[in-house]
Each structure stands twice: as structure tokens, then as C-alpha cells.
Amino acid sequence: MSDSETNALKSQIQEHLISSGNYDRLSKALATKLYETGWVDSMKQAATAKASTMDKPNFDELNESLQQKGMDLVNDTVKRDMMALIKEYLDGVISS
Amino acid sequence: MPEDIPTKASLAISILHDLLEKQIHQLIVERLLLEKQIRQTHHDSRPLPAHTFAGLSNLIDENSMIASTASTNNSSQAASRANSPATALLLNGHETVFDENEKNTRVVYVYSGLGGNRDIYGNEGLKQADASRYFVCSNCTRKIAGSRFAAHVDRCLGGRLARRT
């Protein structure tokens, strides 16, 4: 399968994910888990601390400094649970 | 080639990455707007870094001491305090708190009782004086002015000051 075909497949899956309402469902599930594990509080603290030290706070700079930290801070349990939910969705959409 | 075909696992990872990115972006935007709002409220004064908030109440007390020291024209003490890394007193009576060790000087204006009607969070419009507020007596359901409330309750509930009929 070429790159373009791969990208087309990904786009198709993403479109279905959004139109079927599963994107919102997964998003809410993730948000809940992140709140419960304290990820939101840690990130809010980090973002506030970073923004307060900037002369002119802007999104790009904040995103650049916090994106990787945000990804790393996510609990392994949260990642595992979310992967299970996403795979469940994919199993229903993609015939193996 | 088999490895070109996206597996369910790689698709799942890609979707999870997108979901997490969305959460991070939302959070950054929220904090950014809050920071801008805070700076507008304080007229471009930038707040202290988070780690200094723990000692802010101590700094306010220290500033009160500086204010009284300066008012007695004890310039040597005031000067030494002003050179301290923690605080300095401005001539117009506003207190400036800064950390000299930081390249970016951060200033917060604390109006704690020296002027203005803001609380330490910069919120305007403090509560009205208790005397001008009315409270409802739960016994007789009348509206009573704050300054008279205690006496009224005492009479209403048959306390020491109540008239005996």
C-alpha cells in the first residue's frame, strides 16, 4: 500500500470516527481519565508557570514547551484504557 | 510491503495522539486567556512566578513593616530593605515586590489597604459595609440593618435585653 493510500485510509477512518460520534465519546472518556489521574492539575500548573514567565505569552511557544511534557505525563493506565477503547472501535470499523 | 499497511495498533496510537493533542491545546488556550486576563486586570503588571506565591503573605507583612519604617523617615533601614531581593517600597505608597535574581522582573501591585478597593487577587468592588447591608431575621422575617442585627436578635429571641411584658 502506498503512502497516499495509507493516508487516504487514515482520513477515511478519521472522518468516520468524527461523524459516528465516537470521537466525542473517546474525547470525553480521555478527559475524565486525565482529570481523575491529576494530569489536568499538573498541566495547568505547568502552563500557568510557563505563561507567567513569558513577556508576551503566545500559543506556539507554550505548545512547543508543553506538548512533549503533556504526552509524557499521561499515566500508563490511561494510555492502556484508551488504547483498548480505540481498538474496540477499530474492530467494529475495520474488517480484518 | 506488509509494513506499509497501517496496523490497527498504529492507527490506534495515531488516534490517541490526536486526542491527547486536543486536550493539551485546549488547556494551553485556557491558561493563555487566563494569563492575558490577569495582566489586563493588573494593567500590564506581570504576576510573580508560581513558586513565590507561597511566601507572598510573608512579603505583604514585610511590606507593612517597610511602610511604617519609611514613614518614620528611617532611610537607612528602608534603603537596606529596598535593596533586599524580596521587596522595595515606592514613593507613591504602592508596594512593589520583585525578585532581583530573575532576569525578567515581575511586579505585582498589592493594594492591601494602602489605596484602591481591590483585594489581594486584584478583584474590585469589595463587599459593602455591614451597616448598609440588610439581614432577614429568621424569627420574625423582618429586614434588619447589619449594625442593629445583633441587638434585634437578642430582643426577638427573648434574650437579656428583651422587654418583659
Side-chain angles (χ1 to χ4, degrees), chain A residues 37-56:
Chain A
T37 53
W39 179 93
V40 173
D41 290 333
S42 304
M43 282 301 290
K44 275 185 180 176
Q45 233 175 2
T48 304
K50 180 69 188 169
S52 61
T53 60
M54 290 164 69
D55 275 338
K56 289 181 183 174

Side-chain angles (χ1 to χ4, degrees), chain B residues 19-135:
Chain B
L19 289 168
L20 277 171
E21 216 173 42
K22 179 192 161 191
Q23 294 294 325
I24 292 169
H25 289 174
Q26 273 179 345
L27 197 135
I28 288 174
V29 166
E30 186 193 295
R31 291 290 112 181
L32 198 55
L33 289 173
L34 185 65
E35 175 71 17
K36 288 189 175 177
Q37 194 182 7
I38 288 170
R39 292 189 186 195
Q40 274 179 352
T41 305
H42 291 282
H43 303 288
D44 290 331
S45 61
R46 287 160 287 173
L48 288 169
H51 68 269
T52 61
F53 280 127
L56 189 58
S57 59
N58 294 334
L59 290 172
I60 290 170
D61 290 339
E62 195 176 336
N63 285 340
S64 306
M65 285 169 58
I66 290 172
S68 60
T69 303
S71 69
T72 57
N73 287 327
N74 194 336
S75 58
S76 61
Q77 278 192 19
S80 65
R81 286 281 192 167
N83 289 332
S84 77
T87 57
L89 182 66
L90 295 180
L91 290 175
N92 61 3
H94 292 157
E95 294 165 339
T96 305
V97 178
F98 62 89
D99 183 353
E100 285 179 347
N101 295 327
E102 287 201 357
K103 276 187 180 177
N104 296 321
T105 301
R106 306 192 59 79
V107 174
V108 67
Y109 289 93
V110 178
Y111 286 86
S112 53
L114 287 185
N117 61 345
R118 295 172 186 262
D119 60 19
I120 61 167
Y121 301 107
N123 297 321
E124 283 190 17
L126 298 179
K127 59 180 181 180
Q128 28 173 180
D130 283 347
S132 60
R133 285 176 73 185
Y134 284 82
F135 299 88

